[in-house]
Amino acid sequence: MSETRTSGAARAEGARMIALVGPFQSGKTSLFECLLARCGAVQRQGFVRDGATVGDASPEARAHAMSVECNIGRADYLGDRYTFVDCPGSVEFADEQRRALAVADAAIVVAESDPRKLPALQLVLRAVEEARVPHFLFLNKIDAAAGNLRESLALLQTASRTPLLLRQIPLWNNGIAVGFIDLALERAYVYREHAPSQVVAMPDGETVLEKEARYSMLERLADYDNALMEELLSDIEPPRDQIFDDLAKELRFGHVAPVFIGAAERGAGVTRLLKALRHEAPGVAATRARLGIADAGPALAHVFRSIHTPHGGKLSLARVLRGAFSDGQQVIGSSGAEEKISGVSSLLGAMTMRQPKADAGETVAFGRLDGIAAGEAVQDARAGAPQAPAPLAPTRPVYGLALSVGDRKDEMRLAAALAKLIDEDPSLVFVQDQALGEMKLLGQGEMHIRVALERLATRYGVTVATHAPAVGYKETIRHAVSVRGRHKKQSGGHGQFGDVVLEVSPRRRGEGFAFAERVHGGTVPKQYFSSVEAGCRDALARGPLGFPVVDVEAVLVDGSYHSVDSSDMAFRTAARLGMIEALGRAEPVLLEPMLAVAIFAPSEAVSRATGIVSARRGQILGFGPRPEWDGWDALDALIPEAEIGDLIVELRSATSGAGFFEARFDHLTEMVGRPAHEVVAARSAASH
C-alpha cells in the first residue's frame, strides 16, 4: 500500500493486523478488550475477572481462566481498520503466537515491571525479534507500579535485544501514577476511568524531568538520523514532523521498540497507544517486503490458523497479503489442493460477520477450505499453486500421555477427532507406537494436553482414559551358552522334525542381532538356514524378563534332520525353542533407554535445574552460557526415559514457567537392583 503523510508522520494505508503478545497474566486480554471498546467494536469493556470478555470465550479458556487460543477482533479507529490478535501468554500455547506473528504488521508486547516475569518476557521478545516484526512495548499495570520508571526500563532492557525507547513518563501523585507526559508531543495527560486521557497543563516540577527524558529519546533517534544529530549538537529544536517520521521509520526498521505506559484494565493510556499504531505501525506493504512477496501479482493470502466449528465446518483464518478474495472464488493452496471459498467473514471473538470480499491487509475467515492447512499460502486458482511460505520450525513436544478407549470401534472416532485438533494446533502430535502397542498424544505441557482432551470430550464426544506412556525397556544377556533346540511331532502321515544346536552370545551395545552358521557335513541342510534365523528372531520379541531382546548373536553349529518330516516350520520352531532356553540360561539383564537432554534455563535457576536432574537419576555432563541468550544457561545431561515424563512440569515450576528442554535417544544402559526388579515385577503382573 502507498504511504501518506498525516500530521507529520508516515502512515500506512489499508487494514492492519496487530498481534498482542506477552507473558502469562501480563494483561493482554484486558488490553484486547480495551482496544475493542475504545474503537467502538464493543459497547463496553469486558473484564477477565468476570468471565465477560469477547476473547477467551471457549469453554476451556473460561474453565482455566487463561487464553488457550488466539482471540481475534476486528475494529475501526478514525477510519482505519485493524484486526487485533490476542495471543496466549502461556509457553504451552506459544505456537499460536508464532503463527500469528508470521503475518502480523506489528506487535504490542504487554509487559510488567516484575523481575520474576523477565525470563518469560525474554522468550516472547525473542520470538518477535526472530520473526522480524516491528513492535511496541506496553508497560502495563502502571497504576500498581512502585519505584523508578528508569529502573523498570533498565530491567526490561535486559530481556530485549532491541533498544527500548521510552515514549512517555508517568505523572505521580502520592506514589500513584495518575497520568503521563508524551515525550514526542510534549503534552501532559491525566487518566480517566475507561475513557481517553485528558490533556492538562504541564505540572510544576515536571518540566526538567520531561526535557531530560525527551532528550534521551531524541539522542537514540539521532543514532539513525544524521540531520537530527546535527540539530541536537547545535541546540536546534527539531520539527515535530521530523520526530514522528523518525519514530515511525526506526520502529519499522526494527532499530527501536517504543515503550508506552498504562493500565489496560482501567483503560489508561490506550488512546495514545492507538494513535501510535495509526501513525507509526507499518501496513501490509511492509509485511509483504518482510516476507519477500512482490507487490504485483495474483491475489495472495496466508492461512495462519484453522478452526473446526460444530455447524459451519472448517474456517481458515487468513491474512490477505495481496489483491482481494471474494465469496465463491476458486483458490489453490501451496500443496496444490483446489477449493472454493464458501463465505468470507471477519471475526470478533466467537462471532463471525459475513462480508462479500476481503481486500489486501484484511484478516478474515475463509469457509470450507478443507484441503488447505494452516501455514499454506492460497491464491486465485487460475494463477496456479503459490510458492509455499517459509515453514516455521516444528515445535518439539515435551510432554505426552498414552490414550485408550473403552471400545475399539471408538479408535476411528478418536483418530478423526484428533486429526481436526491437530489441524487447528500443529504443535500437538499423535503417535501410534506399534512397538509398545500404544496411542500417544504429545504436546507442550500438562495444560496443553489437558485442554486437547477436554476438546475431544466436549466437541467430539470422545472420552479417553490416559496413563503415562510405556518406557521402551529392552533386555540382553551377559554370558554365552550353547543349547539344543528340538521339535518333534508325529500325528499320522508326515510328522514334524527339526533339530538345531545354537551358540548364543552377547554383542556390544547397539550392535543389534546377528545370525551366522558354521554347520559341517550337512547336518542341517542349507535350505533351512533362513528358517532357523527366523525362529531365533521370533524368540527375541519377548525375553525371559518380558521385554524385547537386543544385542545378541546366534550361531547355528550343528543339528539333524529327517528326509520326510523336516520342514521350514519345524526348523523355525526348533530354533525358537532353543533360543528361548538360551536366553533364560545366559543371565538376562534389563536395559533402560537413556536420553540426551539439553535443558535451557535462566542462569539464576540453573542450580534448581541440576537438582531436578540429579533427583531423576540423571547424569550431568556439563553446562555453560546459552549462546546468544544473555542471562540463560544450557545444561547437558543424560536422563533415563522413565524419568522424563513430567520433567517439563517440574522444570517450569522451578524457572517461573520459562525453562524448557530438548531430548533425543542416546543409548541403552544396564538397569540393576531394586529399580530393575520393580520394572520386571510390574511387567509380569501386567501380563497375567
Side-chain angles (χ1 to χ4, degrees):
M1 305 295 290
S2 62
E3 301 286 338
T4 61
R5 289 197 175 277
T6 304
S7 301
R11 188 167 72 84
E13 294 181 348
R16 280 175 273 190
M17 176 177 166
I18 309 296
L20 308 184
V21 299
F24 179 55
Q25 293 186 331
S26 58
K28 296 178 302 303
T29 301
S30 293
L31 180 59
F32 177 71
E33 298 292 323
C34 186
L35 287 167
L36 294 178
R38 195 61 51 86
C39 293
V42 296
Q43 290 186 340
R44 59 183 295 273
Q45 178 179 344
F47 296 97
V48 175
R49 63 177 179 270
D50 300 330
T53 54
V54 171
D56 291 348
S58 70
E60 299 80 26
R62 290 277 198 258
H64 300 293
M66 63 183 291
S67 299
V68 296
E69 68 263 304
C70 285
N71 301 312
I72 298 176
R74 196 196 82 177
D76 295 327
Y77 182 68
L78 299 180
D80 288 343
R81 176 161 295 177
Y82 297 89
T83 296
F84 297 108
V85 182
D86 169 28
C87 302
S90 168
V91 68
E92 298 191 26
F93 301 94
D95 201 61
E96 294 264 336
Q97 169 190 278
R98 294 197 314 148
R99 288 182 281 132
L101 284 172
V103 287
D105 296 322
I108 299 173
V109 181
V110 184
E112 298 173 71
S113 181
D114 184 347
R116 295 170 299 178
K117 291 190 176 181
L118 273 183
L121 177 61
Q122 191 173 7
L123 291 177
V124 172
L125 285 167
R126 181 58 63 96
V128 174
E129 290 164 349
E130 289 183 349
R132 298 183 294 119
V133 177
H135 54 285
F136 302 86
L137 192 143
F138 183 72
L139 182 55
N140 195 22
K141 306 178 185 178
I142 193 67
D143 52 341
N148 186 288
L149 182 62
R150 288 188 179 278
E151 293 175 357
S152 297
L153 193 67
L155 180 72
L156 296 171
Q157 185 64 71
T158 63
S160 174
R161 294 189 297 181
T162 305
L164 301 179
L165 184 72
L166 191 62
R167 292 282 300 273
Q168 299 168 335
I169 58 174
L171 291 176
W172 300 100
N173 186 1
N174 295 325
I176 299 174
V178 296
F180 64 94
I181 298 173
D182 188 291
L183 300 178
L185 290 172
E186 293 189 285
R187 291 178 189 162
Y189 295 80
V190 292
Y191 296 134
R192 295 191 298 166
E193 201 77 9
H194 305 298
S197 302
Q198 183 177 358
V199 179
V200 296
M202 189 75 69
D204 294 338
E206 296 289 345
T207 303
V208 173
L209 289 175
E210 185 272 332
K211 293 295 184 188
E212 181 184 331
R214 175 179 164 83
Y215 190 81
S216 295
M217 178 188 76
L218 295 178
E219 270 192 317
R220 172 62 70 181
L221 293 176
D223 289 341
Y224 311 100
D225 185 339
N226 292 334
L228 179 58
M229 178 66 77
E230 291 178 9
E231 288 167 342
L232 294 181
L233 293 174
S234 303
D235 289 330
I236 298 172
E237 178 64 24
R240 184 174 294 174
D241 286 0
Q242 179 187 353
I243 294 172
F244 277 106
D245 283 348
D246 279 349
L247 288 169
K249 183 178 67 173
E250 308 320 335
L251 166 75
R252 297 176 192 193
F253 285 151
H255 293 152
V256 299
V259 179
F260 292 82
I261 61 175
E265 194 166 82
R266 291 177 49 208
V270 172
T271 299
R272 291 306 310 162
L273 181 62
L274 270 169
K275 290 188 176 180
L277 289 176
R278 183 170 189 263
H279 291 292
E280 299 167 31
V284 69
T287 301
R288 281 199 300 267
R290 188 181 86 230
L291 299 176
I293 296 170
D295 289 336
L300 180 72
H302 179 104
V303 177
F304 65 91
R305 190 166 188 266
S306 300
I307 301 175
H308 290 269
T309 65
H311 307 295
K314 179 177 174 178
L315 296 178
S316 298
L317 303 187
R319 180 83 194 286
V320 181
L321 297 171
R322 188 175 62 204
F325 289 88
S326 302
D327 189 6
Q329 184 173 345
Q330 199 77 15
V331 296
I332 187 169
S334 305
S335 62
E338 279 197 48
E339 300 284 354
K340 181 180 180 180
I341 296 175
S342 179
V344 178
S345 305
S346 59
L347 280 77
L348 184 62
M351 297 183 295
T352 57
M353 295 155 287
R354 293 290 288 262
Q355 59 189 65
K357 68 170 187 168
D359 293 317
E362 290 196 79
T363 304
V364 295
F366 293 137
R368 305 285 187 176
L369 302 188
D370 294 334
I372 295 174
E376 287 193 56
V378 295
Q379 70 181 18
D380 190 300
R382 292 170 296 183
Q387 182 177 349
L392 293 173
T395 306
R396 297 183 182 181
V398 292
Y399 182 82
L401 290 175
L403 312 179
S404 59
V405 291
D407 191 328
R408 286 192 64 86
K409 291 184 295 185
D410 289 337
E411 287 188 8
M412 293 296 292
R413 293 177 59 226
L414 173 64
L418 281 174
K420 291 183 178 180
L421 289 184
I422 292 168
D423 189 36
E424 291 186 349
D425 180 2
S427 64
L428 288 169
V429 178
F430 179 55
V431 175
Q432 290 187 297
D433 192 325
Q434 301 295 335
L436 296 175
E438 284 186 339
M439 298 182 293
K440 293 187 281 193
L441 184 62
L442 312 177
Q444 302 308 306
E446 187 178 30
M447 182 59 72
H448 190 215
I449 298 298
R450 184 187 304 176
V451 167
L453 296 179
E454 289 171 359
R455 287 173 174 161
L456 273 179
T458 57
R459 289 191 195 176
Y460 304 107
V462 180
T463 302
V464 298
T466 63
H467 59 273
V471 177
Y473 293 110
K474 301 287 191 292
E475 58 182 273
T476 191
I477 57 176
R478 283 203 176 112
H479 302 305
V481 295
S482 178
V483 296
R484 178 178 289 275
R486 187 177 177 90
H487 176 62
K488 182 178 181 181
K489 187 174 182 181
Q490 195 71 41
S491 57
H494 289 305
Q496 298 179 39
F497 182 84
D499 177 38
V500 296
V501 176
L502 301 172
E503 290 181 356
V504 181
S505 58
R507 304 186 77 199
R508 286 185 298 183
R509 196 71 64 244
E511 288 188 342
F513 171 71
F515 175 79
E517 56 79 22
R518 294 198 300 269
V519 177
H520 300 289
T523 53
V524 176
K526 185 180 297 185
Q527 69 199 63
Y528 297 127
F529 289 172
S530 61
S531 299
V532 173
E533 179 179 356
C536 292
R537 290 186 181 275
D538 291 343
L540 301 181
R542 182 182 174 92
L545 303 181
F547 299 94
V549 181
V550 296
D551 302 336
V552 298
E553 180 180 40
V555 181
L556 174 64
V557 295
D558 202 357
S560 61
Y561 73 102
H562 189 280
S563 59
V564 175
D565 292 343
S566 287
S567 66
D568 286 324
M569 183 55 67
F571 270 98
R572 182 168 184 166
T573 302
R576 178 174 59 81
L577 294 172
M579 194 70 174
I580 290 173
E581 181 184 349
L583 295 175
R585 287 171 46 193
E587 193 177 347
V589 61
L590 188 66
L591 299 176
E592 73 170 333
M594 297 293 290
L595 306 183
V597 181
I599 293 175
F600 305 100
S603 300
E604 66 271 12
V606 166
S607 61
R608 295 191 290 274
T610 57
I612 291 171
V613 171
S614 298
R616 291 170 180 267
R617 298 190 289 124
Q619 176 187 354
I620 296 169
L621 304 178
F623 67 90
R626 186 182 181 193
E628 299 182 7
W629 282 73
D630 292 341
W632 283 65
D633 283 347
L635 176 69
D636 293 320
L638 290 173
I639 302 178
E641 182 184 327
E643 303 286 347
I644 212 78
D646 62 349
L647 171 63
I648 192 64
V649 178
E650 190 174 3
L651 181 61
R652 285 180 177 149
S653 176
T655 59
S656 300
F660 64 102
F661 71 87
E662 297 174 353
R664 58 174 176 80
F665 173 78
D666 191 77
H667 67 280
L668 293 168
T669 189
E670 286 191 15
M671 189 180 188
V672 297
R674 183 175 176 181
H677 291 309
E678 290 175 349
V679 170
V680 173
R683 181 62 173 236
S684 177
S687 62
H688 286 92

